[in-house]
Amino acid sequence: YALAHAIFAGADVLLVPSRYEPCGLNQLYAMKFGTVPIVRATGGLTDTVEEFNNEQDSGTGFKFKQPTPLALEEALFRALDLFTERPGTWQRLMVRGMKRDFSWKRSAMEYVRLYEKAIADRKSFLDGAGPR
């Protein structure tokens, strides 16, 4: 693991131009180690990488929708522009990715909340009030 962690930590960007990606872990590892992901918006990549927004100074990476060289190039240029022209904004982008919590503990808590809501909705339905 140490070599893989060192590679992720030493990279500036991770490029994941997948046509299909049911989950993907590489972008999660990249963000954990401060590497900014540039991904095709598909599957788990869409779910885990938030598009950088310049006006709001938010997001965790860069996405492109179409599986074409031109779409990939455009995302790369957006990332390179930010990296070279606004290093402070780039550093905040890296830190936001590092702060993301993809732990099982967080996921389990989301499931607990979902189940609690389902139980409350079921009780409400049985009491005649209908779902909330």
Side-chain angles (χ1 to χ4, degrees):
Y1 296 122
L3 178 59
H5 294 174
I7 291 170
F8 278 117
D12 293 312
V13 299
L14 173 74
L15 181 59
V16 188
S18 300
R19 286 186 175 268
Y20 172 76
E21 188 71 56
C23 175
L25 294 175
N26 287 324
Q27 77 281 8
L28 304 182
Y29 296 140
M31 286 188 280
K32 175 182 171 107
F33 290 101
T35 301
V36 175
I38 302 173
V39 302
R40 174 146 179 280
T42 186
L45 299 171
T46 295
D47 299 334
T48 56
V49 177
E50 181 186 344
E51 176 67 29
F52 171 72
N53 182 304
N54 187 42
E55 285 87 36
Q56 297 176 358
D57 193 15
S58 63
T60 58
F62 297 87
K63 296 191 228 181
F64 59 99
K65 292 183 181 181
Q66 298 301 317
T68 64
L70 185 61
L72 169 61
E73 181 182 58
E74 193 273 331
L76 282 167
F77 282 142
R78 286 186 289 127
L80 289 171
D81 181 59
L82 185 66
F83 181 83
T84 58
E85 300 299 322
R86 298 195 330 259
T89 304
W90 181 268
Q91 188 168 14
R92 288 191 302 277
L93 176 66
M94 291 169 54
V95 169
R96 275 192 301 276
M98 293 170 77
K99 288 182 177 180
R100 294 289 305 268
D101 181 7
F102 293 105
S103 70
W104 282 111
K105 184 176 181 176
R106 182 196 56 83
S107 296
M109 292 307 299
E110 286 183 29
Y111 276 110
V112 167
R113 281 191 288 276
L114 178 64
Y115 291 135
E116 287 172 345
K117 183 183 180 324
I119 290 168
D121 285 351
R122 178 69 175 157
K123 285 180 182 177
S124 179
F125 178 76
L126 292 175
D127 291 342
R132 293 191 272 179

